């Protein structure tokens, strides 16, 4: 295989796009299986994140995070002018959440910690006892029900105070994040054996710093996003090394980063390079420094940004260099490849692409990458276009990790489908069946996959989409102050997959029977 951002074994797979565009259900053979067995040791679970479900935004000593602050000052940040002040109210309803997990029969529950609920000053000088009690209660309730907690340290809700100090643009974030991680390991590490340092660095840096999609919405493309990238990788590595050196010997856990990986497929044989660039600029920039043979950023990114920077008259590359010591510090700093995946896209580069990006005279992440992409309308199932259906892309990303990153163990930490509500969510069922089958294809081909996580356990605040987009296995009624949760058809189907360890493409649940759990 070839490393450093050039064409590799994963791109030598036969291009399937042409017939996938017209008949996606047979792509990769996803309609051929009536029933498939899941490996007995594959962990199955569900996920949420603190700001999206907890509510209680200022209760019991919690201070502001960046979403609290920004949305209260810009009430219509979300498309429906909603916020996470109450959300699913899980701060008060966590026992019902655990009950739902028992109903599904999951092996684990992935959730994130609210930094400001634990440390209201943003630093570790003051610990909020109420916040600690909440997470202790949740963790203990999970373990009492034989459900392993998988805990994310950072899922986008930066303390507002630290954001005012620069957030991920301040080099001191490496120390701040390391201190936070160490304090959390002390508080909960005796019971938590799976730690995720950071969720989806591309979305944090590109959507929040390079663009205005996510808070803090700095919109400084080609500059702030690259600074964020370097500091985030170093902060992740700091948390990893703190755990590895100080806590792993006694706590014996696993720690890793989760990277969002949209798969970019070339439009045709002339666009293989464009698709490669897309994959590298989207997620290779975070995966390569950790998982590749020699570390550092992909070579194509370093060369491209340096060249564009020189053309723009800058004395150095806009992509901050990693020193040899930093490369070594980041390299190998993840026990697993945490993988979030929802959909894929078609990438291309043609004369109009060159003409369009040549008009960008200033810094631009998109101009640096120099590709364009689209998702064919034939991939759409259901009402939402947030999660287009292309399960073959899931197999390809897993093949890429297997071929390029030496088959590092993969923990799929998010995979799910957006809808606009309703309990009979057949499109979500179709999606889960297709993507789980694609995962099983990758396992058959040799991928080392240890866990699969459905996003999400319940409907929640979906950032700029507010409550308009629903991903939950359980529907939450946000118009009811008691926030009742009701299982969707997909919850029944997922429960059956977990119970039987079998993916049955033809199983039809009886939703008139309440979804209950077996007694322990």
């Amino acid at each position: 295989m070839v490393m450093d951002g050039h064409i590799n074994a994963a791109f030598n797979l036969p291009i399937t796009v042409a017939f996938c565009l017209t008949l996606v259900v047979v792509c990769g053979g996803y309609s051929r299986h009536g029933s498939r067995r899941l490996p007995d040791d594959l962990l199955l679970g569900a996920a949420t994140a603190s700001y999206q479900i907890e509510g209680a935004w200022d209760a019991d000593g919690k201070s502001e995070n960046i979403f609290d602050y920004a949305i209260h000052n810009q009430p219509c940040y979300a498309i429906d002018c909603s916020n996470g002040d109450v959300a699913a109210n899980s701060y008060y309803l966590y026992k019902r959440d655990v009950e739902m997990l028992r109903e599904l029969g999951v092996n684990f529950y992935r959730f994130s910690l609210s930094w400001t609920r634990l440390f209201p000053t943003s630093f570790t000088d003051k610990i909020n006892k109420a916040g600690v009690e909440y997470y202790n209660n949740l963790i203990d309730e999970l373990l009492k029900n034989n459900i392993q907690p998988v805990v994310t340290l950072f899922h986008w809700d930066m303390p507002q105070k630290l954001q005012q100090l620069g957030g991920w643009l301040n080099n001191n974030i490496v120390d701040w994040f390391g201190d936070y991680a160490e304090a959390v390991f002390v508080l909960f590490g005796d019971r938590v054996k799976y730690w995720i340092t950071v969720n989806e660095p591309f979305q944090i840096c590109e959507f929040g710093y390079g663009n205005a999609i996510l808070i803090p919405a700095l919109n400084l493309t080609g500059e702030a996003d690259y600074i964020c990238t370097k500091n985030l990788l170093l902060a992740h590595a700091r948390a990893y090394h703190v755990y590895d050196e100080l806590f792993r010997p006694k706590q014996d856990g696993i720690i890793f980063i989760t990277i969002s990986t949209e798969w970019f497929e070339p439009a045709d044989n002339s666009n293989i390079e464009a698709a490669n660039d897309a994959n590298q600029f989207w997620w290779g920039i975070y995966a390569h420094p950790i998982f590749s043979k020699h570390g550092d950023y992909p070579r194509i990114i370093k060369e491209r940004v340096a060249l564009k920077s020189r053309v723009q008259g800058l004395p150095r590359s806009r992509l901050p260099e990693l020193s040899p010591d930093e490369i070594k510090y980041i390299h190998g700093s993840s026990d697993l490849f945490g993988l979030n995946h929802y959909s894929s896209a078609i990438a291309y580069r043609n004369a109009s692409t060159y003409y369009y990006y040549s008009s960008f005279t200033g810094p631009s992440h998109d101009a640096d990458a120099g590709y364009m992409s689209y998702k064919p309308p034939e991939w759409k199932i259901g009402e939402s276009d947030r999660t287009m259906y292309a399960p073959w892309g899931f197999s390809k990303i897993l093949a890429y990790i297997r071929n390029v990153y030496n088959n590092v163990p993969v923990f799929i930490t998010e995979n799910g489908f957006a809808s606009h509500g309703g309990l009979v969510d057949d499109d979500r069922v179709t999606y889960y069946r297709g993507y789980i089958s694609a995962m099983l294809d990758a396992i058959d081909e040799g991928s080392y996959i240890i866990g699969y996580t459905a996003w999400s356990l319940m409907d929640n605040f979906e950032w700029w989409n507010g409550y308009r987009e629903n991903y939950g296995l359980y529907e939450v009624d946000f118009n009811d102050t008691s926030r009742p949760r009701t299982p969707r058809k997909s919850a029944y189907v997922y429960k059956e997959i977990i119970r039987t360890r079998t993916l049955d493409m033809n199983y039809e649940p009886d939703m008139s029977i309440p979804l209950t759990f077996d007694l322990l």
Side-chain angles (χ1 to χ4, degrees), residues 399-418:
Y400 185 100
I401 294 169
R402 182 174 72 245
N403 293 331
V404 177
Y405 296 136
N406 197 32
N407 205 14
V408 60
V410 174
F411 198 130
I412 297 161
T413 44
E414 287 182 28
N415 179 235
F417 182 81

Side-chain angles (χ1 to χ4, degrees), residues 82-300:
S82 63
N83 58 51
D85 287 0
V86 178
N89 213 19
S90 286
Y91 185 70
Y92 300 105
L93 300 177
Y94 72 89
K95 286 192 176 182
R96 171 57 182 146
D97 296 349
V98 176
E99 186 179 70
M100 289 162 11
L101 293 160
R102 277 194 65 191
E103 289 170 359
L104 294 173
V106 298
N107 304 116
F108 67 88
Y109 176 44
R110 181 192 171 202
F111 64 94
S112 73
L113 304 175
S114 168
W115 191 331
T116 57
R117 195 179 297 286
L118 289 169
F119 305 104
T121 70
S122 307
F123 302 107
T124 56
D125 57 322
K126 180 181 178 182
I127 299 176
N128 183 22
K129 291 182 180 179
V132 174
E133 182 180 10
Y134 168 66
Y135 291 116
N136 273 333
N137 288 339
L138 174 57
I139 291 168
D140 291 344
E141 189 74 11
L142 289 168
L143 293 173
K144 185 173 73 175
N145 288 280
N146 295 330
I147 301 167
Q148 284 294 318
V150 176
V151 180
T152 305
L153 296 174
F154 184 81
H155 197 125
W156 302 4
D157 48 351
M158 175 74 71
Q160 174 60 21
K161 180 178 179 179
L162 297 190
Q163 190 61 51
Q164 290 176 274
L165 294 171
W168 291 108
L169 301 185
N170 188 326
N171 296 346
N172 291 305
I173 192 66
V174 179
D175 292 328
W176 300 337
F177 189 69
D179 293 342
Y180 163 62
E182 182 173 353
V184 166
F185 298 148
V186 170
L187 290 170
F188 309 119
D190 59 325
R191 288 153 294 154
V192 175
K193 301 306 176 186
Y194 293 90
W195 294 103
I196 299 171
T197 56
V198 178
N199 179 76
E200 296 187 338
F202 177 86
Q203 280 72 12
I204 294 168
C205 294
E206 182 58 25
F207 289 1
Y209 287 77
N211 288 283
I213 299 171
L214 278 178
I215 308 300
L218 297 189
N219 207 24
L220 296 170
T221 182
E223 296 175 309
D225 39 9
Y226 294 143
I227 298 170
C228 171
T229 294
K230 177 177 178 177
N231 287 336
L232 187 150
L233 284 168
L234 288 169
H236 149 75
R238 173 66 59 82
Y240 174 87
H241 289 294
V242 165
Y243 187 81
D244 191 51
E245 295 164 14
L246 301 181
F247 295 92
R248 196 195 301 270
K250 286 188 176 181
Q251 296 182 357
D252 193 28
I254 290 171
I255 184 166
F256 58 103
I257 192 171
T258 278
I259 299 172
S260 176
T261 55
E262 184 151 308
W263 178 254
F264 291 90
E265 180 78 359
D268 52 39
N269 282 321
S270 66
N271 281 288
I272 291 176
E273 183 179 281
N276 183 64
D277 291 351
N279 284 309
Q280 298 304 330
F281 271 88
W282 180 280
W283 53 268
I285 192 171
Y286 302 101
H288 207 77
I290 299 170
F291 298 107
S292 68
K293 184 176 181 180
H294 300 294
D296 204 356
Y297 297 123
R299 191 169 69 199
I300 186 63

